[in-house]
Amino acid sequence: MPISKYIKETMTSPGAGVIRKMFEEGIRLKKQYGEDKVFDFSLGNPDLDPPEEVSEEFARIAGSREKNFHGYMPNAGFTDAREAMARKTESEQSLPEGSMDFSCVVMSVGAAGALNSLFKAILNDGDEVIVPAPFFVEYRHYVHNYGGKLIEVPCKKDFSLDLEAIKSALTEKTAAVLINSPNNPTGRVYSQEEIKNLSFILKEHSKKCGREPYLICDEPYRAIVYDNVKVASSFAEYDSSVVVTSFAKNLSLPGERIGYVAVNPRCPDKDELIAACIFTTRVLGYVNAPALMQRVVAKTWASPVDYSLYEKRRNELMENLDAAGIEYTKPEGAFYLWCKVPDKFGDDDMAFCEHLKKHLILAAPGSGFGGKGYFRLAYCVSEKSIVDSKKAFVEAMKDL
C-alpha cells in the first residue's frame, strides 16, 4: 500500500528535514575529515552539560526500588510535578504567588508534544493558526496534523512583530496566534509593549467576530537571554494565553523529552482546555510525560545555569562573520545567528548552504523556517569549533 500523499510530497520536497539531513551529513563528514575539521552549526543540540543538581537528582531517582515506581500516573502527570511547573510559570509570568495551581498545567513529551496536544485540543478542520515568520520549521506539520492551516505573516525587517500584518491576517477561522520568544531562528525577543499591543488587537478582533483566538507562547529558550533583555509576560496582557515549553534548552535535556502546557489561570475556558489537553495527550499515544523526568524537573527546575558561555560563543561567532563579511542579526536570546545569504546567490539559501558545505561548514537554509534568502547557524557547539571556523568562513566568502 502507498504511504500518505501528503507525507510523500513533504518528505521529497527540497526543504524536508534539511536540518536533520545537515546534522547527519556532519556525522559523515567528521568520519571522513576528522572531528576538528568539520564545523557543524546545523542543529540546536545544546553542548552544555545539565547542571550537576539535575544529574545528581536523576541518579538518585533512577536508583529507587519503590514498588510500582515506573507505573502509570494520571495522564496529566504527577501532581507535585504540575505544582512545581505552576510555581515556575508564576515566576516567569510575573503572577502573584499562589495564583496558579496544578490544575493549570499538563505535563508533556517535550514542547513538541505540548504543541501537538494543544493543537489537537483546539483545532477544527480549516481553522487557522497565525505565526510570525521566520519560525520553527516543524510548526507547519504540527498544525497540519489536525486539519489546520498555518498562516505565515512576515515580521518587520528587524524581525519584531508586524502587528498590522497580524491584524490583517485575522479571520473568523483564526484559532490561535503562535509566537516563539526568544525566537528560533532569529534570536529576537518580543518586548512587553509588543505583546501588549498584540493582545489588544486580539481582544478587538474577538469583539467583532465572537471568537477569541488563543495566544500560544512557545518558550523553550526563555531563560537564555543576553544584554539584560527580559522576555515578556503574555499572561499579564491576555487572558486566553497559553505557554508551552520544555527543559530541552535551558537544562540541556533535549533527548529526555520533558515539557508542559500551562494555561493562564484567568483563561475563560481554562478547565475545559486543560481537560481537552489531558484527553489529547492520551489519544495521541503519548499517554503521559516520562515519569522519571517529571520527578527530576519537579525538584530541579530552578537549578542555576551559566548561560554566559552561550553569550561568549555568540560574540565569537559574530566576530568570525564580521571578518568574512557575512551579514547577520544580533540575537537577543536563544543560541542561533540568523544570517543573510550573500548577494551573489540572490535568495537561494539552499545553494549557499551547499557552498558552505564545500568548506566543511554546515548551516540550516532559511527556507525551511519561512525565511528564504537567509540561513541559520546554531552556536551551541564547542568554543574551539567556533574559533577554528573563522578561517573556513573567510575562505568560503573569498571563494564566491
Side-chain angles (χ1 to χ4, degrees), residues 117 121-122 271-281:
S117 295
I122 68 172
D271 292 342
E272 185 175 33
L273 180 57
I274 286 289
C277 288
I278 294 171
F279 178 76
T280 57
T281 294

Side-chain angles (χ1 to χ4, degrees), residues 9-40:
E9 289 176 351
T10 304
M11 286 171 58
T12 55
S13 65
V18 69
I19 299 175
R20 282 283 173 175
K21 286 177 182 177
M22 283 289 187
F23 176 64
E24 290 164 9
E25 180 74 351
I27 295 173
R28 184 188 69 80
L29 290 173
K30 286 172 185 176
K31 287 180 179 178
Q32 182 177 351
Y33 294 99
E35 287 273 343
D36 61 337
K37 298 293 192 299
V38 178
F39 310 107
D40 186 357

Side-chain angles (χ1 to χ4, degrees), residues 184-220:
N184 172 12
T186 68
R188 192 71 160 80
V189 176
Y190 305 133
S191 69
Q192 193 67 46
E193 188 68 16
E194 285 177 279
I195 300 304
K196 181 178 181 179
N197 292 334
L198 173 59
S199 299
F200 177 80
I201 288 169
L202 295 179
K203 291 172 189 175
E204 291 300 299
H205 170 75
S206 66
K207 289 177 185 176
K208 292 177 183 177
C209 77
R211 181 180 188 180
E212 186 169 340
Y214 292 104
L215 176 57
I216 302 173
C217 305
D218 183 19
E219 299 186 347

Side-chain angles (χ1 to χ4, degrees), residues 21-283:
K21 286 177 182 177
M22 283 289 187
F23 176 64
E24 290 164 9
E25 180 74 351
I27 295 173
R28 184 188 69 80
L29 290 173
K30 286 172 185 176
K31 287 180 179 178
Q32 182 177 351
Y33 294 99
E35 287 273 343
D36 61 337
K37 298 293 192 299
V38 178
F39 310 107
D40 186 357
F41 301 104
S42 62
L43 189 64
N45 193 20
D47 78 317
L48 297 188
D49 289 327
E52 189 66 27
E53 187 178 333
V54 173
S55 298
E56 289 175 358
E57 186 66 14
F58 189 100
R60 186 188 71 80
I61 293 173
S64 173
R65 294 297 181 266
E66 182 182 329
K67 186 173 175 56
N68 201 33
F69 190 73
H70 301 287
Y72 287 124
M73 82 294 296
N75 297 116
F78 292 119
T79 299
D80 61 341
R82 297 169 70 193
E83 280 284 3
M85 298 309 103
R87 300 288 77 74
K88 177 176 181 287
T89 305
E90 279 180 353
S91 67
E92 293 173 346
Q93 295 293 323
S94 302
L95 298 181
E97 187 175 348
S99 59
M100 285 186 71
D101 63 24
F102 74 94
S103 69
C104 299
V105 176
V106 179
M107 302 304 294
S108 66
V109 184
L115 279 169
N116 275 272
S117 295
L118 182 57
F119 287 141
K120 177 70 171 176
I122 68 172
L123 294 179
N124 296 299
D125 284 346
D127 275 352
E128 298 172 348
V129 176
I130 293 173
V131 65
F135 51 86
F136 176 53
V137 293
E138 306 290 15
Y139 286 167
R140 292 189 185 103
H141 306 303
Y142 296 167
V143 171
H144 180 274
N145 284 346
Y146 313 107
K149 181 180 180 182
L150 194 69
I151 305 299
E152 303 171 19
V153 177
C155 286
K156 293 181 178 179
K157 287 185 177 180
D158 65 353
F159 302 108
S160 60
L161 297 177
D162 189 333
L163 296 171
E164 285 302 312
I166 292 175
K167 182 178 179 180
S168 298
L170 290 165
T171 72
E172 66 281 353
K173 292 183 178 180
T174 304
V177 174
L178 171 61
I179 61 172
N180 172 216
S181 178
N183 179 264
N184 172 12
T186 68
R188 192 71 160 80
V189 176
Y190 305 133
S191 69
Q192 193 67 46
E193 188 68 16
E194 285 177 279
I195 300 304
K196 181 178 181 179
N197 292 334
L198 173 59
S199 299
F200 177 80
I201 288 169
L202 295 179
K203 291 172 189 175
E204 291 300 299
H205 170 75
S206 66
K207 289 177 185 176
K208 292 177 183 177
C209 77
R211 181 180 188 180
E212 186 169 340
Y214 292 104
L215 176 57
I216 302 173
C217 305
D218 183 19
E219 299 186 347
Y221 302 96
R222 171 178 269 274
I224 307 172
V225 291
Y226 316 114
D227 308 318
N228 298 313
V229 169
K230 183 175 174 59
V231 180
S233 165
S234 58
F235 283 16
E237 307 293 349
Y238 192 66
D239 288 353
S240 294
S241 53
V242 183
V243 166
V244 295
T245 191
S246 76
F247 294 90
K249 314 302 181 181
N250 64 329
L251 294 185
S252 299
L253 297 170
E256 301 301 343
R257 311 312 303 146
I258 183 69
Y260 60 90
V261 177
V263 178
N264 192 333
R266 297 199 305 263
C267 183
D269 60 349
K270 183 206 77 171
D271 292 342
E272 185 175 33
L273 180 57
I274 286 289
C277 288
I278 294 171
F279 178 76
T280 57
T281 294
R282 190 178 89 235
V283 301

